[in-house]
Amino acid sequence: MKKIIFLMMLFAFCKVNAQQFCGKPDPNFCPGNVFTNGNFETLNGSPDARPDEDINVAKGWSPIWQSGSLADLYCQSTLPNPSFLLPVPGSGVYASMWISNRNTNSALYREGMFNKLQSTITSNSGSYTFNFNTARLSTGQVTSVEIGIYGVSFTGTTLPAPPTTEISPTNLNLFGAGNVVLLGVITVPAGANNTWANQTISFNTSMAGFPAAGINHILITKSDNVLPGLAQMYIAFDNFCLRVATEITGNFCGCANTVNLIKNGSFESGATGFTSKFTPMTKSFVPGTYTVVDGDGARALCANWLNAAACGREGKVINKFLAVNGQTGQQGPLTAWGQSVTVETGKDYKLCFNLGNLRQCCFNVDPKITIVYNDGVEQRTLGPITVSTNNNPCNWLSYTTVISIPPGATPTINLPININLDQSGLGDGNDLAIDDISLIKLSPLPSAVTDFGETISSIDASGNYTITTNCSALPAGVSYVWEVQEIDNAGNVLSSTGEYPAWHANPLSCNFSGYTFTANKRYRIIRGTWGECNSWSAVAHTYSKEISSNRITAQKDVNYKAPQKQNNNR
């Protein structure tokens, strides 16, 4: 923004610690946010250290061209211009810029900001909602203006050249043909004021013009439309929140009607949406590089490798997959594929993928991989897993595990997952194929399925009795276990059978053979269930003798909470 010089004296008194200066931010204002730093609170310095054009002080934000006007950044109590208004109520750090839908020969008031998303939004991956707040800070008589929201596919390091006028080039042409899509337009009316107003758009990733490689940036600027009158406002922005509205469901990890949280896990969108410590292939597929190919493309690189016409998998022909040309004789593993996803704390997730051994003719080193992830408490490593295909190039190794996210202080965390390829083997080969990476959330079975009734015998002359549960049939693929606990009046455990091995078998074991129930004690019986597509859950009933009779009563223990099982892929 173009400001008066005397404001620089005011900025000299601002504190360097922007979070302290602007108020405590809310890091969880938008669980599952695809935006990076959507509320501008993570900073590389004070937002008031410069008088204007400093959006890049906020992590994840940058200009939209090499030089020229860009958006501004301020603390909630900093006035951009003496004639302007502050946005109310205060919301910590906010961004602001001119939105000008005029047709002039100058680009002076053409401003914008550019956000690098936390992960690539791939085409045909469902619908998204996009919310943010605006407040008009400039005063005076104007007409309405339009804010344009654009999705951009941008993997380079050099931003576009600055525009020459307010309308040339258009926003759709800033990053080259096919790389920009208009996601939505917000109209800010002439009567807008400085009170924060919520704005919302939604878009579907199957929309016409959505970049084939997906979008990894969002561009916020004026729309490409020229509007009548004095269509020019100085507007504040805050709390950008972009998240999934409806996701595409399918059969992932062998579980029907599930949502894959991994973006581009099938690699059908090409080499996008993931990170790798290997180098993308340019001219030749040399050791230390990776590429995304289909079966025929892989065979063109090496005649020993997969052929889509000959190799089927799970009833379908191989399409694209990630091929990694691993090195040998090196030190330790290197990340072949990595991606971060937002997951809920205290929940279980199922991770699965397919691995292929792209063999060499002689002295082949079988690839050896490890899976490394951070569950919010500690870094965990699974493996190593050796990918051996018994000399058959059509064989794929399917790997499945359950990742349990511990309960945490926040509803969600960012879960980084890496597939690392060991490079310490001696010989040739060590070439790896990866495909069909999926991460799905597991839900517990409904209580109507997991709960149970019981038949209780009379107390015999020795003061003992038996319990036989009325077991309902469990769905296919579901396992169960029983546990009997002796408890005190407060429900504290005095002794326990643990997960009793003899009571795991199918058909259902329901009479607790070998256990003696005594009338003068209190008991809790727990039934735990889990399955290929269901997380661990448990229900409990308690049993005790009535004081006024010689009868045992049972009731559901509504206060019992099943402990979470770490990696409960039994």
Side-chain angles (χ1 to χ4, degrees):
M1 202 204 91
K2 322 312 174 242
K3 296 195 184 77
I4 301 175
I5 298 297
F6 81 85
L7 284 178
M8 296 183 68
M9 298 176 62
L10 172 65
F11 299 142
F13 295 98
C14 288
K15 299 177 183 179
V16 174
N17 187 332
Q19 292 187 0
Q20 177 184 354
F21 185 77
C22 300
K24 187 176 181 179
D26 177 10
N28 299 310
F29 79 98
C30 177
N33 198 359
V34 186
F35 253 83
T36 299
N37 192 24
N39 59 357
F40 305 103
E41 302 292 351
T42 304
L43 306 167
N44 299 315
S46 170
D48 294 337
R50 288 187 48 169
D52 65 354
E53 300 188 348
D54 55 352
I55 188 64
N56 50 345
V57 171
K59 179 183 177 182
W61 293 87
S62 71
I64 56 177
W65 34 66
Q66 298 170 23
S67 61
S69 295
L70 60 148
D72 313 325
L73 205 63
Y74 295 105
C75 286
Q76 62 185 12
S77 58
T78 302
L79 196 63
N81 185 296
S83 65
F84 289 175
L85 302 172
L86 284 173
V88 292
S91 63
V93 181
Y94 69 92
S96 53
M97 62 182 174
W98 285 105
I99 296 295
S100 181
N101 297 105
R102 302 183 304 163
N103 182 4
T104 68
N105 293 325
S106 170
L108 184 65
Y109 288 94
R110 187 172 178 179
E111 301 187 329
M113 48 188 167
F114 202 41
N115 186 268
K116 184 176 182 179
L117 300 178
Q118 296 196 55
S119 59
T120 299
I121 298 176
T122 55
S123 60
N124 300 312
S125 60
S127 298
Y128 287 76
T129 57
F130 184 15
N131 303 281
F132 59 97
N133 296 331
T134 62
R136 176 187 170 186
L137 306 188
S138 57
T139 56
Q141 295 296 318
V142 294
T143 54
S144 62
V145 297
E146 287 183 352
I147 302 166
I149 314 296
Y150 298 85
V152 181
S153 174
F154 177 68
T155 57
T157 57
T158 303
L159 291 167
T164 54
T165 71
E166 285 199 43
I167 63 171
S168 179
T170 64
N171 297 320
L172 288 174
N173 291 324
L174 275 176
F175 292 86
N179 292 321
V180 182
V181 61
L182 176 63
L183 302 177
V185 171
I186 297 293
T187 298
V188 181
N193 57 34
N194 63 320
T195 299
W196 289 113
N198 183 256
Q199 312 290 355
T200 301
I201 66 168
S202 60
F203 62 90
N204 193 296
T205 53
S206 61
M207 66 192 299
F210 200 88
I215 60 173
N216 56 1
H217 288 77
I218 294 290
L219 167 61
I220 315 292
T221 186
K222 61 97 179 180
S223 76
D224 277 332
N225 296 325
V226 175
L227 302 180
L230 185 57
Q232 180 176 289
M233 285 186 198
Y234 189 75
I235 296 175
F237 296 82
D238 205 358
N239 292 344
F240 286 95
C241 179
L242 172 61
R243 50 190 170 186
V244 172
T246 58
E247 296 170 295
I248 302 300
T249 61
N251 191 317
F252 300 103
C253 296
C255 300
N257 300 316
T258 53
V259 173
N260 187 7
L261 301 178
I262 299 294
K263 304 301 181 184
N264 192 31
S266 64
F267 299 100
E268 297 308 312
S269 295
T272 184
F274 64 92
T275 60
S276 179
K277 293 294 181 67
F278 289 79
T279 304
M281 185 189 84
T282 53
K283 294 182 179 180
S284 58
F285 195 48
V286 297
T289 63
Y290 72 87
T291 186
V292 172
V293 291
D294 58 15
D296 290 333
R299 192 170 177 82
L301 294 174
C302 179
N304 289 339
W305 289 355
L306 313 176
N307 186 293
C311 298
R313 186 178 73 253
E314 297 176 359
K316 58 186 178 183
V317 172
I318 298 168
N319 294 313
K320 293 180 181 178
F321 59 90
L322 175 65
V324 183
N325 193 335
Q327 295 177 297
T328 57
Q330 306 298 308
Q331 290 189 353
L334 196 66
T335 298
W337 174 93
Q339 191 174 119
S340 293
V341 296
T342 300
V343 295
E344 298 176 42
T345 52
K347 303 295 183 182
D348 294 329
Y349 293 82
K350 187 176 183 180
L351 173 70
C352 61
F353 49 84
N354 289 308
L355 301 169
N357 186 336
L358 304 176
R359 296 183 59 85
Q360 293 298 320
C361 295
C362 302
F363 310 110
N364 183 69
V365 173
D366 288 336
K368 184 185 296 181
I369 66 110
T370 51
I371 299 103
V372 179
Y373 66 94
N374 192 309
D375 63 11
V377 174
E378 62 180 294
Q379 180 171 292
R380 299 182 182 271
T381 300
L382 305 177
I385 301 151
T386 300
V387 187
S388 176
T389 60
N390 300 321
N391 298 317
N392 184 348
C394 291
N395 285 352
W396 286 77
L397 172 66
S398 294
Y399 179 81
T400 299
T401 189
V402 172
I403 294 177
S404 297
I405 307 301
T410 59
T412 62
I413 62 165
N414 193 42
L415 172 69
I417 305 174
N418 292 328
I419 299 175
N420 295 341
L421 175 62
D422 180 69
Q423 300 195 107
S424 62
L426 299 178
D428 200 0
N430 198 33
D431 300 328
L432 175 68
I434 307 175
D435 202 3
D436 304 322
I437 307 173
S438 298
L439 182 73
I440 63 171
K441 179 183 173 183
L442 298 178
S443 299
L445 288 164
S447 60
V449 175
T450 60
D451 205 354
F452 58 92
E454 58 275 296
T455 300
I456 304 172
S457 72
S458 300
I459 301 172
D460 63 20
S462 300
N464 301 327
Y465 62 96
T466 62
I467 299 175
T468 301
T469 58
N470 305 324
C471 302
S472 59
L474 294 172
V478 174
S479 300
Y480 78 100
V481 66
W482 292 103
E483 179 179 353
V484 179
Q485 298 174 347
E486 182 184 338
I487 60 176
D488 62 19
N489 291 334
N492 300 309
V493 179
L494 302 177
S495 65
S496 172
T497 62
E499 296 176 0
Y500 202 69
W503 302 336
H504 280 231
N506 263 323
L508 295 173
S509 172
C510 303
N511 61 359
F512 310 104
S513 175
Y515 193 89
T516 301
F517 295 93
T518 303
N520 62 356
K521 295 181 179 180
R522 293 174 61 87
Y523 296 95
R524 177 188 289 127
I525 294 179
I526 302 165
R527 185 193 197 190
T529 56
W530 71 96
E532 292 297 321
C533 301
N534 298 101
S535 62
W536 166 268
S537 63
V539 292
H541 292 192
T542 59
Y543 305 84
S544 61
K545 179 180 174 296
E546 291 181 352
I547 297 175
S548 58
S549 71
N550 200 34
R551 190 166 65 93
I552 303 297
T553 60
Q555 65 182 62
K556 186 172 182 178
D557 190 347
V558 295
N559 296 319
Y560 177 77
K561 185 176 182 181
Q564 188 180 31
K565 303 289 185 180
Q566 181 66 41
N567 289 334
N568 58 331
N569 48 330
R570 303 169 186 267

